[in-house]
Amino acid sequence: MAQPLSRVLRRWFAWFMVAVLVSSLVTWFFLRDTLPAVIRIGTAVEGGLYFEEGERVAEALRERTNHKIQIIPTSGSQENCDLLRAGVIDVAIVQAGADSLQDLAIVTPLHRDVVHVVVRKELLAATAGDKQITSVSDLANNAIIIGLKGSSIQKSALDILKHYRLADSADLREIHFTNLLSDEEKEYDAAMVTSGVENEDIGNLLATGQFDLLPLDAEALVLRYRHFDYYEIPKNMWPPVPRRAIPTVTASALVVVREETSTELVKLLLDAIFEDSLLTHFSTMFSPQQARELSPARLHPVTRRYHDPFGQYGVLHTVLEALAAGKELLFALGATVYLSWDRWRQLKERESLE
């Protein structure tokens, strides 16, 4: 006996809803927002400020999640960007202007990287007949340490040397500036160092009393390079150096991820940076308000909502985002509800027939 058309259609629709349920669950399982099995953070050379900040962020992440966190020492910003795009690392600390941020997104500005032009004191007080160094322009033919290849230190140094037309005339050394501490033969005359003022290596170098700082044409450099901002190193920052306020430039250190990075990881990073003890440990780290005011162009959408001063819009956006992220589960829920109702109806019909 042929079954009524309505019953056939209902059966086919039930099978369709089963397919929707299965496909939605499979899609959700493979595309859900998850953290990497191991979160790898690219920093810079061991002992530097980037490395120390990376360790503190890793410690805060370990307390918030059971995931393994790994610190990856690198030569600096350019290598970090390359490793990030290649998927070797998941988070990186880079300096603004050191490399292109194509396919990357900024989680937050972290602190100011200040340019320090370190010179031997005897060159600043040369006697008659010797070459006296009074400005960066006088460093032509001198041996200048510009940092490791691929580092943000070297990129800033080359920008400044280009401004002073010294890129081809100075004797440039691609080594870390801490080599000045062990340079007993005085092979190196100066170093261009871009780092936060909390960098202990800079403090240790200037504490020897053998070096001083040169001023920069800061206003001209700010006009010439978009990633630089004006800054003054205060007098006696490392007593008794400098003897007066030194005009220089800064570039922001940034926490960066890939554009497709898990939103959960970005939220964890923001919480680790702004809600744990990092702000008390690093006195020059940007506060949430300062980070919001800087507002880089490629700021990650999660960060924009994190710093949203209009809370009600932020909550609404979060709800909509959660609905969008869990749409597969909503389809699965709808299919489950329909199949449950259809099964209940079949049972009731069977009872009625009996």
Side-chain angles (χ1 to χ4, degrees):
M1 180 178 180
Q3 296 182 1
L5 180 61
S6 60
R7 183 174 297 179
V8 174
L9 292 176
R10 194 173 66 191
R11 181 172 297 177
W12 276 107
F13 188 72
W15 280 110
F16 171 75
M17 294 305 290
V18 170
V20 169
L21 173 62
V22 174
S23 61
S24 296
L25 289 175
V26 170
T27 302
W28 170 81
F29 180 80
F30 286 104
L31 298 182
R32 70 191 190 280
D33 188 20
T34 57
L35 294 173
V38 179
I39 302 173
R40 296 176 172 87
I41 303 176
T43 55
V45 296
E46 292 189 35
L49 185 58
Y50 281 16
F51 188 84
E52 185 180 355
E53 288 175 334
E55 285 189 316
R56 292 286 177 174
V57 171
E59 182 181 337
L61 288 176
R62 289 189 190 100
E63 293 177 357
R64 291 176 173 272
T65 175
N66 293 325
H67 281 65
K68 183 179 179 181
I69 316 295
Q70 186 177 356
I71 301 297
I72 308 296
T74 68
S75 63
S77 297
Q78 292 181 12
E79 183 182 359
N80 283 346
C81 289
D82 292 339
L83 294 176
L84 201 54
R85 293 190 185 93
V88 177
I89 59 177
D90 307 292
V91 184
I93 302 177
V94 304
Q95 182 183 295
D99 197 9
S100 168
L101 295 182
Q102 184 69 32
D103 302 324
L104 305 178
I106 300 170
V107 175
T108 184
L110 201 57
H111 67 260
R112 291 185 181 89
D113 274 341
V114 181
V115 177
H116 306 75
V117 183
V118 182
V119 183
R120 291 191 180 278
K121 279 188 175 181
E122 60 242 45
L123 295 176
L124 298 176
T127 57
D130 295 326
K131 180 182 177 182
Q132 183 179 17
I133 306 296
T134 59
S135 72
V136 176
S137 299
D138 298 326
L139 291 174
N141 302 317
N142 286 87
I144 306 173
I145 294 176
I146 59 171
L148 300 174
K149 187 174 182 179
S151 67
S152 56
I153 291 178
Q154 184 173 123
K155 178 61 169 59
S156 295
L158 292 175
D159 286 343
I160 292 167
L161 290 168
K162 181 179 178 181
H163 170 76
Y164 286 98
R165 302 182 185 276
L166 294 178
D168 298 322
S169 59
D171 179 11
L172 306 182
R173 308 295 181 91
E174 293 182 322
I175 57 177
H176 199 260
F177 70 91
T178 50
N179 282 270
L180 282 173
L181 287 168
S182 57
D183 183 23
E184 297 180 358
E185 302 297 325
K186 298 184 179 180
E187 180 182 355
Y188 315 116
D189 301 312
M192 291 191 171
V193 184
T194 305
S195 183
V197 294
E198 290 185 283
N199 190 326
E200 290 186 4
D201 289 333
I202 294 176
N204 293 336
L205 184 66
L206 296 175
T208 63
Q210 302 175 31
F211 304 92
D212 209 335
L213 300 173
L214 283 179
L216 289 174
D217 299 331
E219 294 180 354
L221 287 166
V222 169
L223 288 176
R224 184 165 188 171
Y225 298 104
R226 184 182 296 273
H227 54 274
F228 282 149
D229 293 311
Y230 184 88
Y231 187 77
E232 281 193 357
I233 301 174
K235 178 181 178 181
N236 291 330
M237 184 69 201
W238 304 275
V241 177
R243 292 167 294 178
R244 64 185 186 283
I246 300 292
T248 184
V249 291
T250 70
S252 294
L254 310 169
V255 177
V256 179
V257 296
R258 289 182 295 278
E259 287 183 339
E260 67 275 13
T261 293
S262 160
T263 57
E264 185 179 353
L265 176 55
V266 176
K267 292 174 183 176
L268 279 171
L269 287 168
L270 289 167
D271 289 341
I273 292 169
F274 293 119
E275 296 183 15
D276 288 332
S277 60
L278 267 73
L279 291 175
T280 57
H281 186 81
F282 300 103
S283 61
T284 58
M285 184 176 287
F286 292 129
S287 66
Q289 180 180 357
Q290 290 172 315
R292 180 170 62 246
E293 291 172 352
L294 288 170
S295 186
R298 301 187 65 84
L299 201 64
H300 196 282
V302 173
T303 306
R304 292 192 183 280
R305 293 192 293 278
Y306 185 90
H307 291 314
D308 185 2
F310 304 103
Q312 65 272 28
Y313 299 115
V315 171
L316 176 61
H317 201 293
T318 300
V319 172
L320 293 176
E321 182 189 51
L323 291 174
K327 58 184 179 296
E328 293 84 6
L329 286 179
L330 290 176
F331 282 124
L333 178 62
T336 302
V337 170
Y338 173 80
L339 291 171
S340 300
W341 172 78
D342 186 63
R343 179 61 179 167
W344 175 82
R345 186 175 62 176
Q346 289 179 19
L347 292 174
K348 297 299 290 185
E349 288 178 355
R350 185 176 301 174
E351 289 178 1
S352 179
L353 288 173
E354 290 177 353

